[in-house]
Structure formats: C-alpha cells, structure tokens
C-alpha cells in the first residue's frame, strides 16, 4: 500500500476524550501540550524567540531608557560636556511658557479630532452597516485614507483647502462665504490640521464601530422594529448602548493617533501660523532638529510617552473591563 | 414572524409605508454619499490637479483637466532625489517585510507551541507598540544611530522599522499558528519530521494568508513612515518618499501644485495597487493591526 495509513497516528493522540466541561478540557489540552510533541524542547523556544526579543528590546525598550537617561543631563552649549542635572529639564519645561503652550495646543488638537471624528465615524459606520448589495464596495474604499502617509494626506489637504483654487473654498464661496484663508488664520489652521488628521484615521474608527454594529443582534433590532422604534430612535436606544465598548475604544484610538501626529501637522502648517498648531510633536521636532537641544528633546519625548502611557492604560483597562477579545 | 408583521403593516397603509421606505433610503443614502465624497473626492481632486498645468490649477476649476499635461509628473521625475527615494522606499519596504516575517515566524511559533519561561513576554509584546509609538523613538534612535555611525544607511531604516512592526507581527502570527491543528504536527512528528520541516512544510503553508497580511502591514509601515526617516537620514540619497515629499512641500511652497499632487499620487498608487491585489487577506490584518 502506498497510501499513508493514519490509524496509528490517532492512537498517538490518545483515546477519544470523554465529555468534560470546556474549561477542564482546555486545561487537559494544555497539560497534554506540556508532555507530548513539544514538552522536552529545552532551549528551542528561546532560540526561536530570542532574535525577536533582542530586537524589540534594543529598538523599543532601550531607546526609551536611553532618552530618560539623557534627559537627566544638560550641556552649556551645543555639543558641550554633559552635566548631570537631575530633573531640572522637566522643571524647566513646566516653567517654559512655550512648552505649556504646546501642551495646550495638543489638548485642543486632540479634543477637536475627537469632536469631529467620533460623530462622523458613527454616522458613517451606521450608514455602512445598512449598505447592502452593490453598495458594499464602499466598505473596501473606506480604508483607503488609512493607507496613505501623513505627508501625502497633508499635501492633499493643502490642495483642497487652498485659498484660491481649493475645492472647499469653491463650495464655501457658493454658499456666500468668500475667501477663507485656511493657513494664515490661527483658528482655521488648527481646524485644517484636525480635519486632515481625522481624514487619515477615520477608517479605523469606522471599521471598529462597524464591527460593533455587525454584532448587534438582528433579532433585537427586529424586536425594536415591531415595538415601533425605527430609524433614529432605534439607533439611539438600541444600537448605540450596545456598541459603547467600541465607541470608547475608538475614542482612545483617535486620541492616541492625534497625540503622536507629527507628519500631518508639520507638512500642513509647519506648526504655524504664529505657533497656532505647534503641538507637542512639533515642539519635539523643533527642540531636536531645529534648536538641537538634545537633552530638552529627550525630556519632551518622556513627557509625550507619559501622556501616551496614560492613554494606553485607559485602553487596556477598558478593553479588559469590556472583555473585548477582538478590540 | 417579524417579517410578516412588518409586511402586514406595509400592506395596511401602502402610501405611508412607501414614504417611510423612501425616508429610510434617504437617511442611509445621504451619509453613504457623504462618506464616498469624504473618502474619494480629496484624492480625485489631487489626481485632477496632478494633470493640470500650473496656470490651470486656479484658472480651470473642472475635475477633468481642460489641457491635460504630464508636466507635474515630469517635474517630479526630474526632481533630484525622487528616483533614489522611490528605490529606497521599495528596498526598505521589501526589506522590512522580509526581515519582519523571518524574525516573527519562529518567535510566534515558540509563543504558540511551547510553554517556556518568558512566554508571558507575549502580553508585553502586544502592549509595547501602543506604549512606545514611532514618534517617541525618533529622537533617541537618532542619537543612538549617530553614536553608532548608522545614519543614512538603508539597513538602519530596515532594522528600525522591523523593530517597530515586530511586536504586532509576532502577535498576529501567534493567533494564526494557534489555529493550525496540533494533530497535523504530531502526525508529522511521528513520521520523523524535524522542527524545521514542521514549520516549513506544515505551519507556513497553512499560515500563508498571515504571511501576506503581515508582509503588507510591514511594507505599509516602511512605505509611509515619516518620523523615523526624519531622524535616521540626513543626506539626499538616503531618504524615502514621505521625507522627500515633505521637503518638496517645504522648498516649492505653493509654487508647483501639480508637481506636489503628482508626487503624492505616485507615493499612493503603488501601495493602493498592492492593497487591491491582496485586499481579502489584508483588511482584517490591517484593522486588527491598528487596534492591537
């Protein structure tokens, strides 16, 4: 016989399992795992995972430790000898009005992105969840802005928000609002940055919320339908409460992206006009690559990472609380 | 049951029901139209401007250029730095994808199949990219690269990007590997297959969609990344496309709009092409990638 006889292999896997509760069965599987196939592995798992662990440690963990270390020093002049100053960099930052301005701008920027992004994402997700038949292709297109780099996004927005020929101004002019100078008015420049940021990250929000909406029980919606709750009422009273976990996670995700956004703002407004869009990432860029104040830049890095850690902590706690396997 | 009730109601009052149905269609139709415009129109406008002459950008408001020209693309192609940036982006993108897969597959296999000390690092792996975004690495990696004399090397970019994608890649691979039935491997083991051949001939073919997903994910990261390129390159020949495009916006200002549009289009098109080809593999990976 040339065919492979599989019967002996079944024997290896052991006799058919008796009916046991699911959790118990999982545990027995795990135990079998330890003894069979791979239990006597010795050094193998370390050899297999070693390179990745070393790489991640060297490229993600070490730089942060290094940044923290460097931020404890200062130099009298660029390239001068490094002197240990403890946390002086941080106290200096707290007393620096320019830095506090950047913190304020960041808060405004993140808030604006949320205020625009979350409702927009919710409306689009609702619409997509009802899009059937040929309209389903819209789902595939939705993700496209997410595939585009922040710089290219900024270029696109520089063009469509252009004062003279931008499409947005043409529409506004049609409505009677003439000559909107998006990039020389501080408030509008901030708004333009928010819009570009929302544009590039909205796909994530939409797909996350859409995922939530798809899991909303159709029977529940039908029941609401029968009870006379249709349209807005159904959405507000039935669907939205059910996707609160996704909404919260989408909010955190958007704030995370906005907090660490450099390319979009730098290429769109360069932090201007008159520092209107000089958020923390822009301040970091200027300290490191324009003013060449490395020690100060490292302190800003740590501050940004702290803000970010707060968000991550929130994300983690909430995703655990909502027990979201998929998000 | 429900269907009949709804249908009955419709039969009872046809005109009212028809109005309702139309209203519903409009309530869904308007946001869908808005979504399509929001997503596609900015790109269409950019595409349109890229084919216009500099003067026509403000003189000709039409979506379809009255005097289509390739001048914008010519100005980009003739631009010093574009061609090398394009090649660099390709090399760095493919290199990152390859290195990521090569490093992540064995690591994920270890996490998925073995019980060993350090196995709990996996949880840390999922949190690290969230805790430490590229922006936070930009300046420290720049200083480290200066110290090591590694500035301006493509390999430095590949290694740095791989480092940032790796946690996610490992995490996604673990998920896929856990779905590969253990029995297959046990059978092969009985037949005398070594660890390498089990990975190579059983796990890898079954995890092929995962490899594509993670490859594209890594490629996207390298293709679009700006912060790290800003930190790790300083000379014209070593930059990648986003940095080069950024420099173009800084140097030409609002002078060469068709050129900037053409540049943006040329950085977008290759990746969209890859994406459309592999869409069915990639969407779930991309989204879970973003969310993890």
């Amino acid at each position: 016989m040339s065919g492979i006889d599989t019967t002996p292999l079944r024997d290896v896997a052991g006799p058919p399992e008796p009916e046991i509760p699911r959790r118990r069965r999982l545990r027995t599987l795990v135990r079998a795992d330890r003894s069979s196939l791979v239990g006597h592995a010795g050094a193998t798992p370390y050899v297999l995972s070693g390179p990745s662990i070393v790489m991640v440690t060297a490229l993600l963990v070490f730089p942060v430790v290094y940044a923290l270390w460097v931020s404890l020093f200062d130099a009298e002049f660029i390239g001068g000898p490094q002197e240990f100053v403890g946390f002086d960099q941080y106290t200096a930052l707290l007393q620096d009005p320019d830095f506090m301005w950047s913190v304020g701008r960041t808060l405004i920027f993140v808030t604006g992105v949320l205020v625009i992004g979350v409702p927009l994402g919710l409306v689009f997700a609702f619409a997509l969840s009802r899009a059937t038949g040929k309209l389903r292709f819209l789902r595939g297109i939705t993700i496209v802005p997410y595939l585009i780099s922040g710089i290219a996004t900024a270029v696109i927005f520089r063009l469509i928000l252009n004062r003279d020929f931008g499409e947005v101004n043409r529409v506004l002019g049609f409505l009677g609002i003439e000559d909107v100078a998006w990039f020389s008015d501080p408030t509008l420049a901030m708004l333009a940055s928010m819009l570009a940021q929302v544009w590039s990250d909205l796909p994530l929000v939409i797909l996350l919320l859409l995922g939530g909406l798809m899991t909303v029980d159709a029977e529940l919606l039908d029941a609401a339908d029968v009870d006379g709750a249709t349209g807005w009422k159904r959405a507000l009273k039935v669907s939205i409460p059910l996707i609160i976990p996704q909404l919260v996670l989408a909010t955190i995700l958007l704030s995370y992206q906005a907090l660490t956004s450099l390319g979009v703002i730098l290429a769109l407004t360069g932090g201007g006009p008159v520092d209107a869009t000089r958020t923390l990432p822009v301040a970091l860029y200027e300290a490191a690559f324009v003013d060449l104040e490395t020690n100060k830049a490292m302190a800003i890095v740590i501050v940004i990472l702290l803000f970010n850690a707060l968000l991550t902590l929130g994300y983690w706690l909430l995703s655990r609380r909502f027990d979201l396997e998929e998000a | 049951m429900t269907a009949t009730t709804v249908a009955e109601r419709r039969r009872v009052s046809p005109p009212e029901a028809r109005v309702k149905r139309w209203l519903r269609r409009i309530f869904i139709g308007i946001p869908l139209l808005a979504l399509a415009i929001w997503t596609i129109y900015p790109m269409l406008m950019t595409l349109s401007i890229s084919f216009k002459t500099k003067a026509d950008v403000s003189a000709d408001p039409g979506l379809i250029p009255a005097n289509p020209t390739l001048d914008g693309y010519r100005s980009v192609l003739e631009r010093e730095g574009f061609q090398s940036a394009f090649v660099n982006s390709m090399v760095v993108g493919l290199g990152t994808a390859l290195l990521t897969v090569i490093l992540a597959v064995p690591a994920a296999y270890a996490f998925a199949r073995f019980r060993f000390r350090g196995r709990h690092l996996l949880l840390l792996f999922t949190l690290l990219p969230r805790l430490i975004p590229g922006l936070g690495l930009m300046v420290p990696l720049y200083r480290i690269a200066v110290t090591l004399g590694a500035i301006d090397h493509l390999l430095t970019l590949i290694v740095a990007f791989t480092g940032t994608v790796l946690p996610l890649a490992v995490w996604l691979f673990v998920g896929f590997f856990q779905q590969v039935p253990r029995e297959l491997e046990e059978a092969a083991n009985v037949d005398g297959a070594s660890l390498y051949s089990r990975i190579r001939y059983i796990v890898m073919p079954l995890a092929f969609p995962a490899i594509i997903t993670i490859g594209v994910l890594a490629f996207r990261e390298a293709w679009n990344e700006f912060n790290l390129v800003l930190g790790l390159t300083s000379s014209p020949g070593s930059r990648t496309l986003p940095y080069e495009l950024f420099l173009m916006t800084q140097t030409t200002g609002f002078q060469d709009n068709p050129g900037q549009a053409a540049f943006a289009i040329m950085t977008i098109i290759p990746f969209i092409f890859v994406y459309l080809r592999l869409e069915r593999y990639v969407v779930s990976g991309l989204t879970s990638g973003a969310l993890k």
Side-chain angles (χ1 to χ4, degrees), chain A residues 6 22 39 51 70 254 301:
Chain A
T6 52
R22 194 154 173 268
V70 174
L254 260 187
V301 166

Side-chain angles (χ1 to χ4, degrees), chain A residues 17 91 97 113 174 178 229 238 272 313:
Chain A
E17 289 171 59
T91 44
V113 166
F174 193 70
E178 297 285 346
V238 183
L313 186 70

Side-chain angles (χ1 to χ4, degrees), chain A residues 30 33 37-38 41 44 46 52 59-60 140 143 146-147 149 170 199 204 207 226 232 253 256 301 308 315, chain B residues 2 27 38 61 103 113-115 117 129-131 133 136-137 143 159 182 189 195 220 224 275 287 290-291:
Chain A
V30 167
D33 180 15
L37 178 64
V38 288
T44 315
Y46 299 99
S52 285
L59 288 159
L60 290 180
I143 201 173
Y146 178 61
L147 307 178
S149 71
R170 267 190 198 132
W199 191 76
L204 302 178
L207 293 175
V226 173
W232 291 115
L253 195 73
Y256 170 87
V301 166
N308 194 55
Y315 184 94
Chain B
T2 324
F27 269 128
W38 163 269
L103 287 173
R113 284 285 194 264
F114 293 99
R115 300 185 66 78
R117 289 152 71 90
R130 279 268 156 265
L131 280 170
L137 296 172
R143 293 307 310 175
V159 169
R182 185 178 296 276
N189 197 31
L195 177 69
R220 170 191 168 270
N224 285 344
Y275 165 73
T287 47
L291 301 176

Side-chain angles (χ1 to χ4, degrees), chain B residues 5-289:
Chain B
T5 10
V6 174
E8 267 166 24
R9 223 190 296 151
R10 271 184 197 147
R11 233 176 293 140
V12 172
S13 53
E16 193 194 319
R18 211 174 300 156
V19 169
K20 253 189 188 166
R21 219 177 317 149
W22 272 106
L23 268 181
R24 186 174 292 185
R25 245 176 238 177
I26 289 170
F27 269 128
I28 294 160
I30 289 178
L32 278 182
L33 187 69
L35 173 62
I37 292 175
W38 163 269
T39 306
I40 303 168
Y41 206 66
M43 285 185 283
L44 273 186
M45 275 319 296
T46 309
L47 190 66
S48 158
I49 289 173
S50 74
F51 286 111
K52 287 178 179 170
T53 61
K54 282 182 197 172
D56 269 1
V57 170
S58 40
D60 164 29
L63 189 60
I64 296 168
N67 313 299
T69 168
L70 288 173
D71 281 355
Y73 291 88
R74 200 169 295 131
S75 81
V76 173
L77 287 173
E78 283 168 1
R79 209 186 130 78
E80 207 180 332
F82 174 79
Q83 291 181 19
S84 63
F86 194 89
V87 174
N88 288 346
S89 276
M90 277 290 174
V91 171
V92 173
L94 294 175
T96 304
L98 197 67
L99 189 59
T100 302
V101 170
I102 288 175
L103 287 173
V105 165
Y109 186 83
F111 283 123
R113 284 285 194 264
F114 293 99
R115 300 185 66 78
F116 63 107
R117 289 152 71 90
R119 192 167 171 272
H120 301 290
L121 279 175
L122 185 61
L123 180 68
L124 195 62
F125 258 57
T126 66
L127 280 177
L128 268 182
R130 279 268 156 265
L131 280 170
I132 307 164
L135 179 75
L137 296 172
M138 176 175 77
V139 183
L141 278 183
Y142 158 68
R143 293 307 310 175
I144 293 169
V146 167
T147 313
L148 297 176
I151 293 282
D152 279 346
H153 290 293
L154 289 186
L155 191 62
T156 307
L157 289 181
I158 294 177
V159 169
F161 293 161
T162 304
T164 57
V165 193
L166 207 49
L168 175 70
V170 170
W171 198 91
L172 287 175
F173 269 131
V174 168
F176 275 101
F177 287 173
Q178 279 170 344
Q179 287 166 16
V180 174
R182 185 178 296 276
E183 287 75 16
L184 281 177
E185 278 190 70
E186 281 169 345
N189 197 31
V190 170
D191 288 347
S194 67
L195 177 69
Y196 169 77
S197 17
R198 290 203 309 264
I199 297 183
R200 171 73 186 78
Y201 296 107
I202 297 176
V203 179
M204 294 267 283
L206 286 171
F208 182 71
I211 292 173
I212 297 289
T213 304
I214 286 150
V216 173
L217 197 74
F219 187 85
R220 170 191 168 270
E221 199 67 24
W223 187 263
N224 285 344
E225 173 65 48
F226 171 68
N227 302 341
L228 291 180
V229 185
L230 193 67
L232 294 175
T233 60
S234 62
S235 69
S238 57
R239 298 179 190 122
T240 58
L241 287 172
Y243 194 1
E244 201 60 43
L245 179 57
F246 171 67
L247 288 180
M248 187 181 185
T249 64
Q250 301 302 298
T251 52
T252 65
F254 287 106
Q255 302 302 307
D256 186 7
N257 290 304
Q260 288 185 23
F263 198 138
I265 294 295
M266 278 194 275
T267 68
I268 295 169
I269 292 296
F271 191 76
I272 299 274
F273 184 73
V274 171
Y275 165 73
L276 288 179
R277 276 288 164 107
L278 304 168
E279 186 188 348
R280 67 201 162 105
Y281 297 115
V282 176
V283 177
S284 58
L286 276 179
T287 47
S288 55

